[in-house]
Amino acid sequence: MEEQLVHFFNEYQSQAVLISIILSIVVAIMGVLPSFFITAANITFFGFWPGTLISFIGEALGASISFLIYRKGLQHVIHPYLKQYPRLMKLINSTGREAVYLILLLRVMPLMPSGLVTLAASMGTISVLSFTVASSLGKIPALLLEAFSVYQIMKINRLKSWLLELILVYAIYRLWRKTKK
């Protein structure tokens, strides 16, 4: 998926930043798709720090827009399903600083789906501004961890490619030497 996205960025270079941000918003609204493939494409195409910044902007905007959409349209439908997540129920029932703190904490927690945090927060009474600030601040460590992980995996994949090429060149050389004798 990352390769197709990088190819798409190459075809539409002047709109690549906007395309990336819009894709991040769509992924956030859907709430179930992982965003790491967008982060990987951003890092590959824009470079590590610019790609990470673009991913952050897209994810922050996506969370805020999702929050508004969820608050307007899904409150009554989804609320019963969230009862199986006690931490999320605590967020729904919290107010003020406690809600901000919980959003920060839940954003940093590994394996806590971002869409569920946004959904639960939208069911509560936290303001859009407080949610946006807390969510964005909480995304920073998680996104940096994701970006560094993606970057390391990309480096490992490049190293594998170089090693395979080196082995292939060596095998061809050995074969050539053998046929020459």
Side-chain angles (χ1 to χ4, degrees), residues 78-95:
I78 301 297
H79 194 275
Y81 295 105
L82 293 177
K83 291 184 181 192
Q84 61 184 327
Y85 299 99
R87 288 184 181 127
L88 295 178
M89 287 308 297
K90 185 170 181 166
L91 173 58
I92 290 170
N93 297 323
S94 66
T95 59

Side-chain angles (χ1 to χ4, degrees), residues 59-73:
E59 287 193 25
L61 285 172
S64 298
I65 292 169
S66 298
F67 178 86
L68 290 169
I69 290 171
Y70 296 166
R71 179 162 275 179
K72 295 288 182 198

Side-chain angles (χ1 to χ4, degrees), residues 33-151:
L33 296 174
S35 63
F36 69 86
F37 70 91
I38 298 173
T39 301
N42 286 344
I43 290 170
T44 300
F45 188 77
F46 299 107
F48 182 81
W49 288 111
T52 302
L53 178 62
I54 292 166
S55 290
F56 172 75
I57 291 167
E59 287 193 25
L61 285 172
S64 298
I65 292 169
S66 298
F67 178 86
L68 290 169
I69 290 171
Y70 296 166
R71 179 162 275 179
K72 295 288 182 198
L74 297 176
Q75 265 190 335
H76 303 293
V77 177
I78 301 297
H79 194 275
Y81 295 105
L82 293 177
K83 291 184 181 192
Q84 61 184 327
Y85 299 99
R87 288 184 181 127
L88 295 178
M89 287 308 297
K90 185 170 181 166
L91 173 58
I92 290 170
N93 297 323
S94 66
T95 59
R97 287 184 181 179
E98 182 184 21
V100 169
Y101 173 73
L102 283 170
I103 290 169
L104 277 167
L105 183 66
L106 289 169
R107 284 285 187 232
V108 174
M109 283 179 79
L111 305 175
M112 177 55 73
S114 184
L116 281 178
V117 175
T118 304
L119 186 61
S122 72
M123 303 292 155
T125 60
I126 190 169
S127 71
V128 175
L129 180 61
S130 294
F131 170 80
T132 300
V133 170
S135 178
S136 297
L137 288 175
K139 281 187 173 290
I140 292 171
L143 185 61
L144 283 174
L145 182 63
E146 178 180 303
F148 280 118
S149 299
V150 164
Y151 185 68

